[in-house]
Amino acid sequence: MLPRLGGLRSALRDPAVRRILKLMVPALFAVSVAQLSIIINTNIASHLTVGSVTWLAFADRLMEFPTALLGVALGTVLLPSLAKAHAEARQEDYSRLLDWGLRLTVLIALPAALGLGLLAEGAIAVLFQGGRFSANDVAQTALALTGYAIGLLGLIGVKILAPGFYARQDIRTPVKIAVVALLTTQAANLVLVPLYAHAGLAASVSVGALANAAMLFVGLRRRGLYRPSPGWPVFTGKVAIALAALALALWLGGRQVDWTGMQAQWPLRAALLTGLIGGGAAIYGIVLLLLGFRPRDFSRAA
């Protein structure tokens, strides 16, 4: 039962290994389109105001946190489940799994995007301000983070929707869509960069991500692979009410704090930011509970 380790040549001659490599290479491109856009944008930023590359890089670190925490985790869970449902010809379960992933994405990605946008200055000041990273650097990085936050739903949505194709070993469609999304990002740069400089570069990544997710969604719908479950309008309305309460709380709380002016009071500033994040999450959760949401409703078994 122990595996035998052979050479690279013998491994590449194996038909199963070659088939996996053939599927994997284009799939890597499809899921990396946002990162490719950021690499291109970093090169463009190097020709803008001094500091633009740093502002974009720091904002990207914060944007990647919810993307990895939610998007990658959900995609990892969904892919084998979708593949099994497809292999067993359980089309209703296939659609229901995608619906479960999309509802969780809306429920968690939208408040995360709202928090990143409204608390951008506070989060960056607490994490990065000091030394040569000045108040102006905080403000400029906050603009970039706000630009990224606009497309967070798309960035996470791609991680949920693309497995809908991969589970059926359809790699070609996501790759074609990824190419269009990459071109869309660069087209957006032509419009947004002259207007908003480095923040326009961040916003263009968001435009490309939203376009990518939208095209994947339409592709799944046209193929009949995904049919939204009943109740989406009511679900969306309830989430919108909770988001409005969250936005009001974060806006009222954030405007009371001079984030960059409290540089010498780092513990207090960090405590205030933590309190706002925790308080906002509590308000969002309480409103959802009052509107009838229950955690068990989002378990995969349900």
Side-chain angles (χ1 to χ4, degrees):
M1 299 296 292
L2 292 175
R4 293 191 302 272
L5 299 179
L8 180 61
R9 289 182 180 179
S10 62
L12 292 177
R13 283 197 296 267
D14 188 282
V17 172
R18 297 176 73 170
R19 183 170 64 87
I20 292 298
L21 288 174
K22 185 178 178 181
L23 292 171
M24 185 177 70
V25 173
L28 285 173
F29 170 79
V31 299
S32 302
V33 65
Q35 284 70 31
L36 289 172
S37 297
I38 289 171
I39 291 171
I40 296 171
N41 285 4
T42 299
N43 182 267
I44 297 173
S46 67
H47 300 284
L48 300 177
T49 305
V50 174
S52 296
V53 173
T54 300
W55 300 332
L56 284 171
F58 283 20
D60 176 61
R61 292 303 87 202
L62 288 176
M63 179 270 294
E64 290 286 355
F65 179 67
T67 304
L69 195 65
L70 175 62
V72 175
L74 273 177
T76 302
V77 170
L78 274 175
L79 184 55
S81 301
L82 287 170
K84 183 178 180 181
H86 171 64
E88 296 174 356
R90 293 185 284 111
Q91 183 55 46
E92 289 188 6
D93 289 342
Y94 196 93
S95 178
R96 194 178 297 116
L97 281 166
L98 287 170
D99 197 81
W100 170 76
L102 289 174
R103 288 189 186 235
L104 274 180
T105 298
V106 169
L107 192 69
I108 303 175
L110 287 179
L114 199 61
L116 283 177
L118 291 175
L119 296 179
E121 184 177 343
I124 293 161
V126 169
L127 292 172
F128 302 123
Q129 188 182 8
R132 297 178 63 184
F133 199 88
S134 65
N136 178 63
D137 293 319
V138 171
Q140 298 302 324
T141 307
L143 289 175
L145 182 56
T146 302
Y148 282 134
I150 294 170
L152 186 63
L153 182 64
L155 289 166
I156 295 177
V158 169
K159 309 293 185 186
I160 308 304
L161 295 166
F165 293 94
Y166 299 148
R168 301 170 59 86
Q169 297 189 17
D170 179 1
I171 308 299
R172 188 171 299 176
T173 301
V175 169
K176 290 179 179 178
I177 290 174
V179 171
V180 175
L182 187 60
L183 295 175
T184 301
T185 301
Q186 300 314 311
N189 279 336
L190 296 175
V191 177
L192 297 174
V193 174
L195 294 173
Y196 304 109
H198 71 285
L201 290 169
S204 70
V205 172
S206 292
V207 171
L210 291 170
N212 196 349
M215 288 184 286
L216 288 171
F217 179 83
V218 171
L220 289 171
R221 293 281 287 130
R222 285 181 176 176
R223 287 166 173 76
L225 301 176
Y226 171 59
R227 293 184 300 276
S229 300
W232 265 98
V234 175
F235 170 80
T236 306
K238 291 179 178 180
V239 171
I241 294 172
L243 287 172
L246 173 62
L248 181 61
L250 294 182
W251 180 74
L252 290 175
R255 68 196 298 262
Q256 307 299 321
V257 183
D258 181 5
W259 296 107
T260 56
M262 297 178 64
Q263 182 179 352
Q265 300 170 288
W266 188 89
L268 176 59
R269 189 169 58 173
L272 289 171
L273 179 64
T274 303
L276 277 173
I277 294 172
I283 290 172
Y284 182 71
I286 289 170
V287 173
L288 288 177
L289 288 173
L290 291 175
L291 292 173
F293 281 74
R294 296 294 181 270
R296 64 176 178 272
D297 297 335
F298 295 90
S299 70
R300 201 158 51 139

